[in-house]
Amino acid sequence: VVLAAGKGTRMESDLPKVLHPLLEKPLVGWVLDAAAPLRATRTICIVGHKAELVEETVSQSHPSVEFVNQGQMLGTGHAVSMAKSALENFEGDIIVTCGDAPLLTTQTLQNLVEKRHESGAAASMLVGNLENAGSYGRVVMNESGEVREIVEAKDATPEILALSTVNAGTYCFSSAHLWAQLNKVGNNNKSGEYYLTDVIGLLREAGEKVVGILVDEREMTGVNTKAELAQLEAELR
């Protein structure tokens, strides 16, 4: 499931963020190319802002991708819930990632799936270590690499904000565990949104294991502004 519904207001452009080109390929195209070798049973792209344009562009290079329109932008948890009707009879791994992280690799996605199975966890997720974590959600972990909770920056205490371990925004869920907990997610937070990250806390409350997998900072790099996009393109060239 690729999250590609956002407008990307910081790009200061009418073009949806995931369609901005990096080396002549849309950002979301990089993500879909990284996922393709995993040979997923289905690949679903959650669209919203200028959905028809996103669908048309993605379909040209990835004709097997399916699309679900989020409609109202009510958060990442709401976005993933839009895919439930298409996937509720599917049993297996559901990877959720963002359409604006072009340096994510196939190997990292494969590791995400394998680590979930090896550890017997209900979910696995990518985490990064950042000196200046800024607005990233903070991840509270124990010494064995198990995730205790994720706290959105705007809802975090100063002690939590001091943590350098952050949510990289890519997950692998057991399908049964995902849908069971996603139904319980509320929007009682400062943004009034349904956070996918709350599923992690609910899994922990239910006694389930969630494992964090450290990923290189470059792979978790999302593109939020034209300046960031230009810098990334210059580095890749």
Side-chain angles (χ1 to χ4, degrees):
V1 177
V2 180
L3 305 182
K7 183 177 181 180
T9 53
R10 291 171 61 191
M11 297 294 280
E12 299 181 344
S13 168
D14 288 336
L15 190 67
K17 180 164 73 165
V18 297
L19 295 188
H20 280 78
L22 176 65
L23 297 180
E24 302 181 359
K25 183 195 299 185
L27 292 174
V28 68
W30 289 77
V31 178
L32 291 169
D33 283 350
L38 274 64
R39 298 183 180 180
T41 306
R42 303 172 76 175
T43 300
I44 296 178
C45 201
I46 307 298
V47 295
H49 177 62
K50 294 196 172 181
E52 291 184 2
L53 180 58
V54 176
E55 291 180 26
E56 178 184 353
T57 304
V58 170
S59 294
Q60 291 175 3
S61 56
H62 298 83
S64 65
V65 171
E66 303 170 53
F67 301 93
V68 175
N69 196 322
Q70 185 179 2
Q72 291 181 286
M73 307 300 170
L74 299 177
T76 52
H78 177 258
V80 174
S81 73
M82 294 294 97
K84 183 179 180 181
S85 60
L87 294 175
E88 59 184 348
N89 294 322
F90 170 78
E91 296 181 4
D93 298 293
I94 297 179
I95 294 175
V96 179
T97 191
C98 301
D100 65 346
L103 300 188
L104 189 64
T105 67
T106 302
Q107 186 59 58
T108 292
L109 290 173
Q110 188 66 51
N111 290 346
L112 191 67
V113 175
E114 291 175 356
K115 292 292 185 182
R116 188 187 81 76
H117 286 268
E118 290 171 3
S119 63
S124 56
M125 60 177 289
L126 299 183
V127 301
N129 281 325
L130 300 179
E131 289 186 15
N132 299 306
S135 61
Y136 278 94
R138 305 304 199 270
V139 180
V140 182
M141 301 175 65
N142 64 21
E143 294 179 355
S144 61
E146 293 182 22
V147 176
R148 290 173 49 196
E149 64 177 330
I150 306 174
V151 183
E152 297 295 329
K154 63 185 67 176
D155 298 312
T157 63
E159 291 78 15
I160 295 293
L161 285 174
L163 297 175
S164 61
T165 306
V166 302
N167 177 20
T170 297
Y171 314 82
C172 176
F173 296 97
S174 150
S175 56
H177 287 101
L178 172 60
W179 303 130
Q181 301 304 332
L182 193 55
N183 288 336
K184 303 175 186 177
V185 171
N187 64 343
N188 184 25
N189 53 64
K190 292 182 180 179
S191 296
E193 294 186 349
Y194 298 87
Y195 294 142
L196 181 62
T197 49
D198 286 352
V199 170
I200 302 300
L202 289 167
L203 285 171
R204 294 289 298 128
E205 289 175 14
E208 299 292 343
K209 181 189 293 187
V210 178
V211 293
I213 300 160
L214 186 64
V215 67
D216 184 270
E217 180 181 343
R218 288 180 62 82
E219 283 197 60
M220 61 175 281
T221 298
V223 176
N224 294 305
T225 66
K226 288 181 179 177
E228 290 176 359
L229 183 62
Q231 180 180 352
L232 183 57
E233 178 149 319
E235 291 174 1
L236 289 177
R237 287 188 184 281

